[in-house]
Amino acid sequence: MNKLFAGLVAAVLLWGNAAFGGDMTENKPMKIKLSFNQNEVIVRMADNAAVRQFLRMLPDDFEFIDFAGEEKISEFPRSVSLAGVPRGMIAAKGKMFIYAPWGNFGFFYQDHGSTIDNSLVELGEIESGLEYLAEAKGGFSARIVILQEEQSL
């Protein structure tokens, strides 16, 4: 009976992971890569419904603009539902976010505050390449792909 229950639980977890676009099992975080101007930025993604929706949109090309001298922002190819997604984060450099009032996403390359901003939804955190976002003047086009496990090591 215990083997049957364990098998059933494993099947449900695998099905749920595949059905919802997740690949974040066994504490292995999903990562994405932004490629632009011969540079790469690697981002470790959070585990929430907004991230799973975003990952289903990839790979894709995005146009980024500089905003307020602190962040690079872009538009999603289609809307992302924030129903049930936890809101609130500190706008710290290196964070990937959704700005809920506008429905866009971006990356902070400078600190923007020190208190929790409930209009932000955390998508992830930059592991490498933050300096390339900070150095990029104005806007740029970037290709965003999901990193395969062997690429993210």
Side-chain angles (χ1 to χ4, degrees):
M1 184 67 149
N2 285 340
K3 287 182 182 179
L4 177 63
F5 180 71
L8 184 58
V9 168
V12 168
L13 289 173
L14 287 172
W15 174 82
N17 193 43
F20 295 105
D23 199 357
M24 299 181 212
T25 58
E26 302 174 26
N27 296 324
K28 293 181 185 173
M30 178 64 65
K31 295 180 183 182
I32 61 170
K33 175 176 70 175
L34 283 75
S35 300
F36 65 96
N37 301 340
Q38 292 79 46
N39 297 312
E40 293 182 349
V41 176
I42 307 299
V43 182
R44 183 181 64 252
M45 303 305 290
D47 185 8
N48 64 48
V51 168
R52 290 187 287 279
Q53 292 171 71
F54 177 61
L55 293 174
R56 284 193 291 270
M57 298 177 194
L58 302 178
D60 206 346
D61 297 308
F62 297 86
E63 294 296 321
F64 284 86
I65 62 169
D66 192 82
F67 188 78
E70 298 175 338
E71 56 195 88
K72 301 292 185 186
I73 61 173
S74 187
E75 299 292 325
F76 291 107
R78 56 187 176 276
S79 64
V80 171
S81 171
L82 298 179
V85 176
R87 291 193 189 193
M89 63 177 262
I90 295 174
K93 73 178 168 184
K95 294 289 190 174
M96 181 179 183
F97 63 90
I98 294 174
Y99 181 61
W102 294 352
N104 63 342
F105 75 100
F107 300 90
F108 288 107
Y109 63 88
Q110 297 290 334
D111 288 331
H112 185 72
S114 58
T115 59
I116 293 176
D117 183 340
N118 288 319
S119 64
L120 297 173
V121 173
E122 185 170 353
L123 293 179
E125 186 161 359
I126 295 173
E127 286 190 342
S128 65
L130 175 62
E131 68 275 15
Y132 301 127
L133 289 177
E135 294 168 358
K137 302 298 180 210
F140 57 86
S141 296
R143 179 88 173 152
I144 302 179
V145 300
I146 297 171
L147 280 180
Q148 301 305 316
E149 190 167 328
E150 64 274 4
Q151 292 176 311
S152 64
L153 297 175

